[in-house]
Amino acid sequence: MNKLPQITLAFWVMKICATTLGETAGDLLSMTLNVGYAISSMILISVFLLTLVTQLFSKSYNPVLYWIVILSTSTAGTTMSDFMDRTLGLGYASGSLILIAILAAIFAVWRLSGESLNVNRVQGFRGELFYWLAILFSNTLGTALGDYLADDSGLGFAGGALLIGSAIALVVVLKYCTKLSPVLLFWVAFVLTRPFGATLGDFLTKPHEKGGLDFGTVGSSAVLAGILLVLIVGACWAQGRDARQGAAQLS
C-alpha cells in the first residue's frame, strides 16, 4: 500500500510551509537558543530517525505522521547543512556540490535497485526508505543552495527567493506544456522547494539591515507552525471524508 499523499496543489503549499518552518526552527535551535550546529544536528537527526522508523512500520497513510517526518527532515537538513558549510568550513558552494553528488548517488542506487522513483508507485519498505533518504538530502542540499544564493551570490534573501520561485514556475510550465518525464520534474520541483523555503525563512527572520523582515526565528516559527497545523487538520478531514465516501459506496 502506498503510504504517501497524493500530489496536489495542497501538497506543494504544505511542502513549502514545512520547509520554511524547518529553516526557521532549525535556526531557532542552533543559533537563537545557542545549542550549536553539531549538537542541533545530532538532536534533530535522532528525531528524524525516530519519526522515520514510525512511518516505515505504519500500515497506512497518516497525514500527521507523514508531515512530522517531512518537518523533521527539513529541520535536520538545516542544521546538517549549516554544520557542513559553517562549522566544518566547507562553504556554501562546496557544500552544495557535495550534497548534489550524494543526492545523485541516492537516485542512481534507487533506480538500480529496481524500485520506482515515481512517488505514486512507492511501495514496500525498501522503496519508502529510498524516498525518505532522497527527501533528507534534498532538504539538506536546499539549505546550502538557499544560503549560497542569499549570502554568496549577492542576490540577497528576497532575490534568492524570487529566483527559485521563478525556477519552480518554469517547472510547472514544463509539466503542462512539454512531454518531459513527470517523475523527473517532480523531483526537480521537490528539490527546488527547499532552497525556496530556506531563502524565504531567512527573509522572514533576518534583521532589516541584512535585507530581512526581522520577524525573528521564534515569531516566524510560531506563525508557520500554526499555518502548517491548519493544513494538516484539513488533510486529516479530507482523508476521513474520502474514507466515509468509500465505505458508503461499498455498502
Side-chain angles (χ1 to χ4, degrees):
M1 180 179 295
N2 193 319
K3 298 183 293 181
L4 309 180
Q6 295 296 313
I7 309 304
T8 63
L9 177 60
F11 170 86
W12 290 113
V13 172
M14 294 173 75
K15 171 63 166 59
I16 292 172
C17 186
T19 53
T20 308
L21 176 57
E23 178 72 15
T24 59
D27 288 344
L28 171 62
L29 182 63
S30 61
M31 293 190 293
T32 305
L33 298 179
N34 202 30
V35 175
Y37 300 127
I39 301 299
S40 295
S41 295
M42 288 189 288
I43 293 172
L44 294 173
I45 290 173
S46 298
V47 173
F48 163 67
L49 291 174
L50 177 62
T51 57
L52 175 62
V53 169
T54 306
Q55 166 70 20
L56 289 174
F57 286 96
S58 65
K59 299 300 182 182
S60 61
Y61 169 59
N62 183 317
V64 176
L65 178 58
Y66 176 86
W67 287 105
I68 287 176
V69 184
I70 287 286
L71 185 58
S72 70
T73 65
S74 186
T75 51
T78 296
T79 55
M80 286 168 59
S81 173
D82 289 341
F83 176 72
M84 290 176 57
D85 301 336
R86 300 174 185 175
T87 303
L88 297 181
L90 296 176
Y92 300 134
S94 297
S96 296
L97 290 175
I98 292 171
L99 290 165
I100 287 172
I102 293 174
L103 187 59
I106 290 172
F107 282 127
V109 174
W110 186 355
R111 185 173 183 83
L112 291 173
S113 73
E115 298 286 343
S116 175
L117 274 70
N118 187 334
V119 294
N120 294 318
R121 299 177 182 174
V122 172
Q123 297 179 347
F125 183 91
R126 186 171 62 175
E128 194 177 359
L129 182 60
F130 278 121
Y131 171 84
W132 287 113
L133 283 174
I135 287 179
L136 175 63
F137 281 97
S138 70
N139 282 335
T140 309
L141 167 62
T143 298
L145 184 57
D147 287 340
Y148 170 77
L149 291 174
D151 295 335
D152 290 357
S153 70
L155 292 173
F157 304 120
L162 180 61
L163 177 62
I164 296 297
S166 299
I168 293 173
L170 176 60
V171 172
V172 174
V173 172
L174 292 175
K175 172 178 172 56
Y176 290 103
C177 299
T178 71
K179 295 183 179 181
L180 288 175
S181 168
V183 175
L184 172 63
L185 292 176
F186 168 84
W187 282 109
V188 170
F190 200 98
V191 171
L192 287 175
T193 54
R194 178 56 183 155
F196 181 76
T199 52
L200 181 60
D202 286 337
F203 180 59
L204 293 172
T205 59
K206 300 302 182 183
H208 297 300
E209 56 268 23
K210 291 186 176 181
L213 296 178
D214 201 19
F215 290 160
T217 56
V218 176
S220 299
S221 297
V223 171
L224 289 166
I227 295 172
L228 185 59
L229 179 60
V230 170
L231 293 172
I232 291 174
V233 170
C236 291
W237 177 84
Q239 184 188 34
R241 178 201 59 194
D242 293 343
R244 291 190 296 271
Q245 291 176 347
Q249 292 174 354
L250 292 174
S251 63

